[in-house]
Amino acid sequence: MANSDKNTFFIVSGEPGRIALITEALGKNFPNTTVFHACDWFDVKYKVENVRPRMIFIDEYLPRGSGMEILAKILKEKANNGSYIVIMSYAADPSMFPHETKTGRIQFLTEPDNEDAIVQCVSKVISPKKEAVKPDYRLIHLNPGDVLFKEGEDTKVVYIVKNGMLRAYTDANQSGRVTLGEISSGEFVGEMGHFNHEPRSATVEAVTDVELIEIPMSSLDNVIFSKPSWAKALVKTLAQRLAKANKALAG
């Protein structure tokens, strides 16, 4: 992890509110920060050549053009090889830059207006102030009958079941409570909220003693990209959900 006396950042965005939020988050959580910003290529080129920032935040969409076009021009310049890149996009696509994402030079920030997500991205490159960064995930334990989350609640975290079994049900049906299925070891729980950005569609409670890994939504993409086994577990869970849905329709 890099650490120097001065940490210079560059924000490429046309949203003043986002620029202000990121600037504040960087100043609060990292030492000796200086932040520059611009929203078009000519301004970006001039400032980057003179500043050589440690990290560049780039919005995917800009008022007068594409952030991806500016990123491509930055990557072409060998003098910019020392700058790390954070792409601010609601949909992360590492396949666009497979080599750079694998080496860690490029990261995706899917919640650019979330301070925790900003800090977690930057902390992979620059040492934060003491106790500034929060862990990407934590372990929790449920006893039989404990409710993990309730139908209609806001979706803020997603879970992976390490051990045990849970049951999902809904009370929204007029005929009464309907069991939707059981969730066992190795499966994700609550993952759909990450994709549809909607409240919980079911209540989930523990059937047995359960141990889970809790991951904040703001950290999910970065955690998944850094842990292939968890990425496989997510794909497996989504495939199982789809197969059950198709079977229900066929029935």
Side-chain angles (χ1 to χ4, degrees):
M1 185 178 291
N3 190 7
S4 67
D5 292 336
K6 191 161 187 173
N7 295 311
T8 304
F9 299 90
F10 198 93
I11 305 170
V12 183
S13 176
E15 298 187 30
R18 177 167 296 170
I19 293 170
L21 187 149
I22 295 174
T23 300
E24 182 181 355
L26 294 173
K28 184 168 75 173
N29 293 284
F30 298 91
N32 305 318
T33 60
T34 302
V35 182
F36 299 87
H37 61 85
C39 65
D40 63 71
W41 169 239
F42 295 105
D43 201 7
V44 170
K45 178 177 172 60
Y46 173 77
K47 290 180 179 177
V48 167
E49 285 179 349
N50 286 277
V51 172
R52 298 300 177 201
R54 295 283 304 286
M55 180 170 282
I56 304 173
F57 290 80
I58 302 181
D59 253 330
E60 183 177 11
Y61 300 107
L62 299 170
R64 296 192 297 271
S66 166
M68 295 299 97
E69 292 178 1
I70 289 180
L71 173 57
K73 292 176 180 178
I74 290 174
L75 292 176
K76 273 186 178 181
E77 298 288 337
K78 290 184 179 180
N80 297 325
N81 286 348
S83 295
Y84 291 84
I85 311 291
V86 176
I87 300 173
M88 297 184 285
S89 171
Y90 292 111
D93 185 4
S95 64
M96 295 171 62
F97 306 97
H99 174 71
E100 290 82 359
T101 52
K102 185 176 180 180
T103 61
R105 187 187 178 193
I106 289 182
Q107 300 181 62
F108 284 86
L109 180 59
T110 56
E111 291 188 87
D113 302 316
N114 182 307
E115 181 178 331
D116 286 345
I118 295 166
V119 172
Q120 285 158 7
C121 270
V122 179
S123 296
K124 295 178 181 180
V125 177
I126 299 170
S127 298
K129 292 178 181 177
K130 195 173 181 179
E131 299 181 355
V133 66
K134 297 180 180 179
D136 283 337
Y137 53 88
R138 69 187 182 102
L139 294 176
I140 64 171
H141 180 269
L142 298 180
N143 296 313
D146 287 349
V147 173
L148 181 63
F149 54 75
K150 294 182 179 180
E151 186 174 6
E153 289 182 347
D154 290 338
T155 302
K156 296 181 180 179
V157 295
V158 66
Y159 304 90
I160 304 174
V161 183
K162 284 196 68 180
N163 299 292
M165 182 173 291
L166 303 102
R167 180 185 297 114
Y169 62 83
T170 177
D171 290 318
N173 195 297
Q174 293 183 350
S175 61
R177 178 170 295 181
V178 175
T179 298
L180 302 176
E182 293 183 333
I183 304 140
S184 56
S185 299
E187 292 187 63
F188 269 75
V189 189
E191 77 288 344
M192 290 311 299
H194 176 68
F195 299 104
N196 59 26
H197 303 287
E198 294 180 356
R200 303 292 191 189
S201 59
T203 298
V204 173
E205 69 176 13
V207 178
T208 65
D209 286 329
V210 180
E211 189 177 22
L212 306 104
I213 301 168
E214 180 186 86
I215 309 170
M217 286 294 182
S218 59
S219 306
L220 182 59
D221 287 325
N222 287 332
V223 170
I224 290 300
F225 295 150
S226 66
K227 294 184 178 293
S229 62
W230 290 10
K232 290 178 182 178
L234 177 58
V235 172
K236 180 181 177 182
T237 299
L238 294 174
Q240 289 173 338
R241 301 275 196 274
L242 182 60
K244 288 178 182 178
N246 288 338
K247 185 176 180 180
L249 289 172

